[in-house]
């Protein structure tokens, strides 16, 4: 089987994902995707006519984020028309999945040069969500009064799921706040030491002026006292009537009838709402040698796992175990762990279940501090893991994240020496 290598990884800074407030929010999503595609071309003197495919991740594929961003962003970036593109959705996990799919096509020997990545502008998708709410679109599941819809497995609110998992696992408000505070501290330290500089690229406006050249979301001034003073965000939401007496809590209790919980998550210990894009250049060894490219990492293994869709957020642990087995490695072989902090409980449970050294997990902060641009995050995390392996001299990195529907993709990479 042909091996797949990461030649380069780039990403935009994460901009605050609020309409009219974030530094990127006025831009078209394709503009962000084209920005990282241009950077890959320029940094690697890439002959875009030799790119076999561009596999892109975007979760909310509606309006400006619809229309196959993988292809359209490549055209906007000035790529040769021979470089085709496609766009996928695995909810939050799409940014890892795009890389995994690219890896598979290269390993199969069918393609030699594939770009993978993702884009999500939450400043835009928030507007889409509001429009759907105004149109009366509600979560599907039991109690709708429509037998066809009631047969669909109910999907509760992710924040409510995070709170329910915390209660089920005995993870306290203090514990999730502590993880979030550490995330902010680590992100601030990484930014001060320019640890993201190798992958981070500047986003320019259409007129050539700088839109954003630094992380916009982190709050280094965060304190334990400040987090403790924040009101839980999802405690009341769990009992919100979705119609016919159906609530998010009842959707969960349909499967876990004895589970009771209080809110522990809030804006400070949940992932930040941001805009961003990322891309990785993945090739075979023959392609890299032919074009004078030096691989930065080898992709060792990848895996996908489905888990309980009712609690939704628990698949990262089995995904990590599965990908480690595929790679022929143990947890002790991993030098850098990246687990997306969708909610602090996800990372906290992951660390506890696998009995990990916290010093190796989210070394440079996570989504509680930096933000989570849904379809782009996985690609960002792979680049972050690679940068950290190169900085620290580590060998193996493992990246995984929860996704709606109770899923988790995972990947293991090995730094080239």
């Amino acid at each position: 089987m042909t091996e797949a290598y990461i030649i380069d990884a780039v990403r935009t800074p994460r901009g605050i994902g609020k309409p009219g407030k974030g530094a990127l929010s006025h831009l078209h999503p394709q503009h962000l995707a084209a920005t990282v595609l241009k950077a890959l071309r320029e940094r690697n003197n890439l002959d875009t006519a030799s790119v076999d495919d561009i596999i892109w991740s975007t979760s909310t594929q509606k309006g400006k984020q619809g229309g196959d961003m993988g292809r359209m962003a490549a055209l906007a970036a000035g790529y040769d028309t021979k470089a085709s593109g496609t766009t996928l959705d695995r909810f939050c996990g799409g940014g890892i999945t795009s890389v995994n799919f690219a890896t598979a096509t290269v390993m199969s020997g069918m393609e030699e040069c594939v770009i993978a990545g993702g884009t999500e502008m939450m400043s835009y998708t928030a507007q889409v969500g509001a429009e759907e709410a105004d149109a009366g679109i509600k979560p599907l599941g039991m109690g709708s009064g429509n037998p066809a819809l009631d047969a669909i497995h109910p999907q509760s609110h992710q924040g409510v799921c995070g709170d329910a998992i915390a209660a089920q696992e005995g993870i306290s408000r203090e514990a999730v706040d502590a993880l979030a505070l550490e995330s902010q501290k680590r992100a601030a330290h990484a930014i001060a030491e320019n640890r993201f500089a190798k992958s981070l690229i500047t986003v320019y406006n259409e007129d050539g002026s700088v839109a954003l050249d630094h992380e916009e979301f982190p709050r280094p001034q965060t304190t334990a006292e400040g987090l403790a003073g924040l009101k839980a965000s999802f405690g009341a939401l769990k009992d919100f009537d979705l119609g016919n007496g159906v609530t998010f809590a009842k959707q969960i209790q349909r499967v876990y009838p004895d589970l009771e919980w209080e809110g522990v998550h809030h804006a400070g210990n949940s992932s930040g709402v941001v805009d961003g894009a990322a891309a990785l250049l993945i090739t075979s060894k023959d392609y890299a040698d032919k074009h004078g490219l030096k691989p930065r990492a080898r992709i060792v293994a990848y895996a996908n796992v489905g888990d309980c869709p009712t609690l939704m957020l628990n698949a990262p642990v089995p995904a990590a175990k599965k990908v480690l087995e595929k790679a022929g490695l143990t947890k002790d072989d991993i030098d850098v762990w990246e687990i997306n902090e969708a909610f602090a409980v996800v990372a906290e449970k992951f660390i506890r279940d696998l009995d990990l050294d916290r010093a190796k997990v989210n070394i440079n902060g996570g989504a509680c501090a930096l933000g989570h641009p849904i379809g782009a995050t996985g690609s960002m995390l792979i680049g972050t893991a690679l940068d950290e392996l190169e900085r620290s001299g580590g060998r193996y990195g493992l990246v995984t994240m929860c996704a709606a529907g109770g899923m988790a993709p995972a990947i293991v990479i090995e730094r080239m020496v």
Side-chain angles (χ1 to χ4, degrees), residues 89-100:
D89 174 18
R90 197 192 292 273
F91 302 115
C92 297
I96 295 178
T97 296
S98 65
V99 175
N100 291 350

Side-chain angles (χ1 to χ4, degrees), residues 58-87:
T58 303
S59 186
T60 302
Q61 295 180 30
K62 298 179 181 179
K64 294 178 181 179
Q65 290 199 166
D68 188 0
M69 197 180 301
R71 172 61 171 176
M72 302 314 294
L75 296 177
Y79 273 40
D80 192 286
T81 55
K82 293 179 180 177
S84 65
T86 189
T87 304

Side-chain angles (χ1 to χ4, degrees), residues 13-301:
R14 297 169 178 91
I16 292 172
K18 294 183 178 181
K21 295 183 179 180
L24 302 177
S25 63
H26 64 289
L27 298 171
H28 196 286
Q30 285 181 18
H31 183 86
L32 288 193
T35 295
V36 290
L37 290 175
K38 287 178 182 178
L40 279 185
R41 179 188 63 205
E42 293 165 2
R43 284 163 52 127
N44 299 282
N45 193 26
L46 181 64
D47 174 11
T48 59
S50 70
V51 175
D52 292 307
D53 206 2
I54 297 161
I55 303 177
W56 216 248
S57 163
T58 303
S59 186
T60 302
Q61 295 180 30
K62 298 179 181 179
K64 294 178 181 179
Q65 290 199 166
D68 188 0
M69 197 180 301
R71 172 61 171 176
M72 302 314 294
L75 296 177
Y79 273 40
D80 192 286
T81 55
K82 293 179 180 177
S84 65
T86 189
T87 304
L88 60 84
D89 174 18
R90 197 192 292 273
F91 302 115
C92 297
I96 295 178
T97 296
S98 65
V99 175
N100 291 350
F101 282 6
T103 298
T105 64
V106 171
M107 284 185 168
S108 72
M110 293 294 103
E111 296 181 324
E112 292 191 286
C113 177
V114 184
I115 293 173
T119 303
E120 203 83 40
M121 291 195 66
M122 299 182 76
S123 58
Y124 171 67
T125 60
Q127 300 174 55
V128 174
E131 290 170 359
E132 288 188 346
D134 288 342
I137 297 174
K138 297 179 180 180
L140 303 179
M142 64 169 197
S144 70
N146 182 331
L149 296 184
D150 289 343
I152 297 173
H153 203 291
Q155 295 291 290
S156 189
H157 187 282
Q158 290 194 352
V160 175
C161 290
D163 287 347
I165 291 169
Q168 187 180 58
E169 299 293 325
I171 297 174
S172 67
R173 165 73 181 261
E174 291 74 20
V176 290
D177 279 357
L179 187 141
L181 179 60
E182 184 63 20
S183 183
Q184 292 285 354
K185 290 179 178 178
R186 292 185 181 190
H189 185 66
I191 291 168
E193 291 196 346
N194 291 318
R195 293 188 181 182
F196 301 136
K198 190 166 187 176
S199 296
L200 197 67
I201 60 173
T202 300
V203 180
Y204 293 93
N205 292 310
E206 297 286 356
D207 63 5
S209 61
V210 173
L212 188 63
D213 62 1
H214 64 278
E215 297 290 353
E216 191 176 30
F217 187 79
R219 292 157 287 187
Q221 72 277 13
T222 301
T223 64
E225 294 76 17
L227 291 174
L230 293 175
K231 182 180 179 181
S233 300
F234 311 111
L237 183 62
K238 72 185 178 101
D239 296 319
F240 178 75
D241 191 341
L242 300 169
N244 292 336
V246 177
T247 66
F248 288 124
K250 286 183 179 179
Q251 287 180 326
I252 292 174
Q253 289 167 335
R254 179 186 184 186
V255 180
Y256 300 91
D258 298 325
L259 186 57
E260 298 286 345
W261 66 93
E262 299 296 329
V264 298
H265 288 95
H266 48 74
N269 59 28
S270 304
S271 56
V273 176
V274 295
D275 301 330
L280 295 93
L281 176 59
I282 298 167
T283 77
S284 66
K285 184 179 186 302
D286 286 347
Y287 181 95
D289 290 344
K290 181 179 178 181
H291 291 82
L293 299 172
K294 183 179 180 181
R296 295 175 59 190
R298 179 177 71 93
I299 298 172
V300 181

Side-chain angles (χ1 to χ4, degrees), residues 6-9 43 195 198-199 294-297 336 383-395 413-417:
I6 299 174
I7 304 299
D8 201 6
R43 284 163 52 127
R195 293 188 181 182
K198 190 166 187 176
S199 296
K294 183 179 180 181
R296 295 175 59 190
V336 173
T384 298
L386 175 54
D387 287 346
E388 179 58 27
L389 288 172
E390 292 177 337
R391 185 195 72 83
S392 64
R395 183 176 180 182
I413 63 172
E414 178 184 18
R415 178 180 65 90
M416 302 298 291
V417 294

